[in-house]
Amino acid sequence: MSSIRAGSRRGQRRIKNEINVVPYIDVMLVLLVIFMVTAPLVTPGLINLPTVGQAESIPRKPFEVQIDEKGAFAVRDRDTGGATEQVAADQLTATVLARLQPEQPVVIAADGKVPYETVMKVMDDLRRSGVSQLGLLVDQKSEHAPGQRRP
């Protein structure tokens, strides 16, 4: 009888307590290749920014903060027809808050050559100081020839 038992054990397969991960790795590599090939073909989302001709008109004359191409700051109150006055960078926020009338919007008129970071820093400083109506001044589309500036 012992010989029968010994023979039957040799023919049995042993149960493995391991997971074969090779097929999973193959599937993951195939998926990786598919994503790498299709990723450049996917069109990124498009953002429809308003053109300058579609900008809204401002209901009240705003307080204007000007930044020239050299980074110098100036302020002008359009509501009272005030003249442009140069302001130091560290005094800009205090000057705007001192002269700003309640519910008067503030616009930033920055030269096209001014770094984006400078404009965003001014906007952030004004927002933090409590200015709620803040925007960017744009040149509306007009009948002028390209390259001409409006007065």
Side-chain angles (χ1 to χ4, degrees):
M1 263 208 188
S2 62
S3 63
I4 295 175
R5 285 186 186 173
S8 64
R9 283 189 184 168
R10 289 183 193 151
Q12 285 184 338
R13 293 188 179 193
R14 297 183 70 189
I15 298 175
K16 292 184 180 180
N17 292 337
E18 299 172 1
I19 297 175
N20 189 2
V21 294
V22 173
Y24 298 117
I25 293 172
D26 291 343
V27 169
M28 293 305 292
L29 288 174
V30 169
L31 288 174
L32 178 66
V33 169
I34 290 171
F35 285 126
M36 288 174 57
V37 169
T38 59
L41 302 176
V42 175
T43 308
L46 298 175
I47 299 172
N48 294 324
L49 296 176
T51 61
V52 178
Q54 296 175 345
E56 296 179 18
S57 62
I58 301 171
R60 183 174 176 191
K61 295 203 177 193
F63 190 87
E64 187 174 324
V65 176
Q66 299 175 350
I67 309 172
D68 68 4
E69 64 183 36
K70 296 177 185 174
F73 297 100
V75 294
R76 182 174 81 157
D77 191 357
R78 286 183 166 192
D79 202 21
T80 60
T84 303
E85 180 183 333
Q86 295 292 329
V87 178
D90 57 345
Q91 296 296 319
L92 180 66
T93 304
T95 304
V96 170
L97 291 177
R99 297 185 185 172
L100 191 64
Q101 298 173 7
E103 300 300 317
Q104 185 179 16
V106 175
V107 293
I108 299 173
D111 189 271
K113 296 177 183 173
V114 173
Y116 184 70
E117 180 180 3
T118 304
V119 177
M120 292 310 299
K121 183 179 181 322
V122 170
M123 287 183 78
D124 187 45
D125 290 345
L126 291 172
R127 285 266 186 221
R128 280 196 222 163
S129 64
V131 176
S132 60
Q133 297 180 0
L134 184 63
L136 296 173
L137 188 65
V138 295
D139 191 17
Q140 299 286 333
K141 281 188 178 177
S142 64
E143 306 303 322
H144 293 87
Q148 283 187 337
R149 294 184 64 180
R150 286 191 351 190

